[in-house]
Amino acid sequence: MTRDRPTWITLVLVLAIAALLGVANLAGNPYVPTYIVSLAGKYLTYAMLALAVDLVWGFAGILSLGHAAFFALGGYAMGMYLMREIGPRGVYANPLLPDFMVFLNWKTLPWYWHGFGFFPFAVLMAMLVPGLLALVFGWLAFRSRVSGVYLSIITQALTFALLLAFFRNDMGFGGNNGLTDFKDILGADLHADTTRVALLWITAILLCAQLLVCRFLVRSRYGKVLIAVRDTESRTRFLGYRPETYKLVAWTISAIMAGIGGALYVPQVGIINPSEFAPANSIEAVIWVAVGGRATMAGAVLGAVLVNLGKTWLTGALPEVWLFALGALFIVVTLFLPRGIMGLFARRRGKPAAAVSAAKEITG
Amino acid sequence: MSFDGFRALNALSLVLEPGEMRAVIGPNGAGKTTMVDVITGKTRPDTGRVVFGKDTDLTKLDEPAIAALGIGRKFQKPTVFEPHTVWDNLLLALAGDRTPRFTLWARQTTEEQDRIEAILTTIRLSDHRDRRAGDLSHGQKQWLEIGMLLAQEPQLLLVDEPVAGMTDAETHETADLLREINRTRSVVVVEHDMDFVRALGVKVTVLHEGSVLSEGSIDHVSADPRVVEVYLGR
């Protein structure tokens, strides 16, 4: 079973750091400017994506190379709400149509943009759209017993197809430029320090909630079956379990978690465009989990934050080196730290590989 | 149970009485494991029927449905859930609701605990309940897997080479265990260890190239010149 303590430590750390950064910022501490607050918020939304990947990869053995698609869809749902919130304050001052639609000479709002002016609807869609896509995709894939590398490849194709679709202007999602120039959220100015701090705190609290949901799933009897499916799928089948439904439940929940992450990412970063669907983004998310430690939950959060801290620093200092560093990191972790940073902790405490059948092949 | 005319299995026909224990032997490639695959739904035959109970045709069902009918299968290689404890392995195998809707909220009942305790005693693993299944010895894994089959409460147990890689003492205990199980359920033992089959002392079916070569007591089949030919004359 997964050890419990790292989860609680992560929970406390996430809340404490978010609280500290927020309070310091509001108190006017010069070391914590607002951009740091939003950067921290962004990392925590990445941590949500990592946790979502860990749930399916770590505990169900599904290596998704397209999870950023669910993240981006959640982001677009929130972005659509934020666009509608701009109202007549856009460059073209059209009270109904976002700027890019006026620019494209559109006269009416596309039907699928209706309702997004209403915040609860947008939030619902940020979860429903990724969830439904995952449900349909997973139902087809798992029922046909597509697994291993083949499944990874089609998840990659899924996100690439969405990338191409969202690039098109006539899709009605702002094409290449995506959605940006947001003004406020629920009437609160998005550029105000208080809004930024509130967003960070909400992100931290929801990340903790997601950790608790994952903890519940993994420790339940359902979670035990899921781990059994990951390692010995045929055995579970001959015991009378249907692995496809077990995978589908985890897969759909995971997509919803990623969607929530995306919805929180957009107001803090201020833009969503099709590049969020880039296959490389999904692969990066898998690397965060591998670095932190697969099937450890706490490791996913840790990996996402640490790798992105490194990315922020390195892309500032030596931008051209970043991708090589990321590749090298993945190789080093795979070769020398098959159980990630969390595995390092476990080894120090002298505990054998209890949580994961170490470095289990992705195709298993 | 009857099988007629498979391509991989060639016009194999076998009938098992309720409560019977049967040993199926045969040289490599005789179709023993394929037969088990067909019964458990892993492989679908081109033609023919596999009838379980009164008139359930198993060729129409998939693995979980067949398992739910009460047919348990032990793999040739011991297959247990290695990261889980011995206890949890048995818990997951216990007969009951298999849907995520149930397992998400399920709590261990005292009834379940009693059943697991009883099985632990039967398979002689009471002292190992909290160990990771992956840390057990080869023979202990075989027993755990048999225990998981018992927990499933099947009417028919298909056991593929249960003593492969076991010590003599373990082989002996396994024979006792299978006889114990056979008191309440039908058992098919697939083996090619003749001595073990002799120790079981049950009716034997000899397969060769996908069909039945000979059937009867172990003394009867080992005296059959065709069986001698297949086993020794290659």
Side-chain angles (χ1 to χ4, degrees), chain A residues 57 60-66 137 141-142 145-158 230 233 247 251 283 286 294 360-364:
Chain A
W57 185 36
I62 308 163
L63 175 59
S64 169
L65 294 180
F137 178 90
F142 303 143
R145 298 194 186 176
V146 178
S147 62
V149 187
Y150 303 99
L151 189 86
S152 302
I153 291 169
I154 56 173
T155 55
Q156 186 96 117
L158 172 78
R230 177 193 73 189
E233 185 168 327
K247 288 183 188 173
W251 176 253
I283 294 171
V286 170
R294 186 184 161 201
K360 178 124 190 358
E361 283 304 313
I362 51 173
T363 46

Side-chain angles (χ1 to χ4, degrees), chain A residues 342-361:
Chain A
M342 295 307 289
L344 217 57
F345 285 136
R347 195 178 306 165
R348 183 157 301 170
R349 258 186 267 148
K351 286 188 182 172
V356 205
S357 22
K360 178 124 190 358
E361 283 304 313

Side-chain angles (χ1 to χ4, degrees), chain A residues 145 224 235 239 241-242, chain B residues 62 73 84 92 98 145:
Chain A
R145 298 194 186 176
K224 287 176 183 171
R235 196 354 116 229
L239 277 181
Y241 290 101
R242 295 195 175 276
Chain B
D62 66 353
R73 169 178 193 175
H84 292 319
L92 295 188
R98 292 317 202 205
E145 198 180 359

Side-chain angles (χ1 to χ4, degrees), chain B residues 77-88:
Chain B
K77 207 176 112 207
T79 313
V80 295
F81 304 136
E82 307 225 330
H84 292 319
T85 59
V86 168
W87 182 278
D88 281 346

Side-chain angles (χ1 to χ4, degrees), chain A residues 1 145 216-217 220-225 227-232 234-246 249 253 353-357, chain B residues 40 42 62-65 67 71 73-75 79-81 83-84 88 91-93 98-100 102-108 112 132 145 148-149 152:
Chain A
M1 260 336 300
R145 298 194 186 176
F216 167 76
L217 286 174
S220 70
R221 197 179 296 184
Y222 164 83
K224 287 176 183 171
V225 178
I227 290 171
V229 166
R230 177 193 73 189
D231 292 347
T232 328
S234 60
R235 196 354 116 229
T236 58
R237 219 175 249 136
F238 289 117
L239 277 181
Y241 290 101
R242 295 195 175 276
E244 57 273 20
T245 31
Y246 276 78
V249 169
I253 292 174
V356 205
S357 22
Chain B
T40 53
K42 193 182 172 201
D62 66 353
E63 300 102 310
I71 297 183
R73 169 178 193 175
K74 205 202 124 341
F75 289 87
T79 313
V80 295
F81 304 136
H84 292 319
D88 281 346
L91 178 68
L92 295 188
R98 292 317 202 205
T99 60
F102 170 78
T103 51
L104 263 175
W105 312 104
R107 292 256 167 275
Q108 260 179 58
E112 284 175 330
R132 246 179 109 246
E145 198 180 359
M148 288 164 75
L149 292 185
Q152 221 182 321

Side-chain angles (χ1 to χ4, degrees), chain B residues 55-127:
Chain B
D55 52 5
T56 315
D57 186 353
L58 299 182
T59 58
K60 303 270 187 292
L61 303 171
D62 66 353
E63 300 102 310
I66 291 172
L69 276 178
I71 297 183
R73 169 178 193 175
K74 205 202 124 341
F75 289 87
Q76 202 164 330
K77 207 176 112 207
T79 313
V80 295
F81 304 136
E82 307 225 330
H84 292 319
T85 59
V86 168
W87 182 278
D88 281 346
N89 268 272
L90 293 172
L91 178 68
L92 295 188
L94 279 184
D97 196 333
R98 292 317 202 205
T99 60
R101 199 183 318 166
F102 170 78
T103 51
L104 263 175
W105 312 104
R107 292 256 167 275
Q108 260 179 58
T109 62
T110 44
E111 193 205 334
E112 284 175 330
Q113 285 168 357
D114 293 345
R115 278 164 63 200
I116 295 174
E117 290 286 358
I119 294 164
L120 281 171
T121 313
T122 311
I123 59 173
R124 301 143 172 97
L125 287 177
S126 295
D127 298 337

Side-chain angles (χ1 to χ4, degrees), chain A residues 17-72:
Chain A
I17 292 173
L20 210 68
L21 288 177
V23 170
N25 174 265
L26 293 181
N29 187 315
Y31 294 107
V32 190
T34 307
Y35 88 88
I36 293 280
V37 170
S38 287
L39 201 59
K42 184 175 91 168
Y43 292 165
L44 294 189
T45 63
Y46 284 154
M48 288 178 171
L49 175 59
L51 195 59
V53 170
D54 195 25
L55 180 63
V56 290
W57 185 36
F59 296 97
I62 308 163
L63 175 59
S64 169
L65 294 180
H67 242 56
F70 303 125
F71 184 85

Side-chain angles (χ1 to χ4, degrees), chain B residues 20-225:
Chain B
E20 190 187 342
M21 169 139 68
R22 176 75 60 92
V24 176
I25 61 171
N28 286 332
K32 297 173 305 226
T33 300
T34 311
M35 181 191 81
V36 176
D37 283 347
V38 167
I39 300 171
T40 53
K42 193 182 172 201
T43 309
R44 225 161 273 249
D46 301 324
T47 54
R49 299 195 316 144
V50 182
V51 178
F52 179 68
K54 265 204 187 108
D55 52 5
T56 315
D57 186 353
L58 299 182
T59 58
K60 303 270 187 292
L61 303 171
D62 66 353
E63 300 102 310
I66 291 172
L69 276 178
I71 297 183
R73 169 178 193 175
K74 205 202 124 341
F75 289 87
Q76 202 164 330
K77 207 176 112 207
T79 313
V80 295
F81 304 136
E82 307 225 330
H84 292 319
T85 59
V86 168
W87 182 278
D88 281 346
N89 268 272
L90 293 172
L91 178 68
L92 295 188
L94 279 184
D97 196 333
R98 292 317 202 205
T99 60
R101 199 183 318 166
F102 170 78
T103 51
L104 263 175
W105 312 104
R107 292 256 167 275
Q108 260 179 58
T109 62
T110 44
E111 193 205 334
E112 284 175 330
Q113 285 168 357
D114 293 345
R115 278 164 63 200
I116 295 174
E117 290 286 358
I119 294 164
L120 281 171
T121 313
T122 311
I123 59 173
R124 301 143 172 97
L125 287 177
S126 295
D127 298 337
H128 302 280
R129 65 185 66 194
D130 293 326
R131 282 180 71 192
R132 246 179 109 246
D135 296 337
L136 298 177
S137 76
H138 179 80
Q140 286 170 328
K141 279 186 196 168
Q142 298 275 32
W143 287 336
L144 174 57
E145 198 180 359
I146 292 173
M148 288 164 75
L149 292 185
L150 288 177
Q152 221 182 321
E153 296 187 356
Q155 295 173 47
L156 168 65
L157 221 73
L158 302 159
V159 197
D160 203 349
E161 303 209 6
V163 296
M166 276 193 177
T167 62
D168 285 350
E170 283 173 334
T171 304
H172 188 74
E173 282 195 72
T174 306
D176 287 346
L177 187 56
L178 287 177
R179 269 193 295 266
E180 208 171 309
I181 291 166
N182 181 231
R183 283 210 293 266
T184 47
R185 349 180 170 264
S186 318
V187 180
V188 173
V189 183
V190 173
E191 252 308 341
H192 55 211
D193 180 342
M194 281 286 216
D195 293 333
F196 176 67
V197 172
R198 191 176 294 274
L200 284 176
V202 296
K203 188 172 171 187
V204 179
T205 298
V206 185
L207 295 190
H208 178 55
E209 292 175 351
S211 44
V212 176
L213 186 69
S214 181
E215 204 165 74
S217 72
I218 183 73
D219 293 326
H220 170 80
V221 297
S222 38
D224 188 326

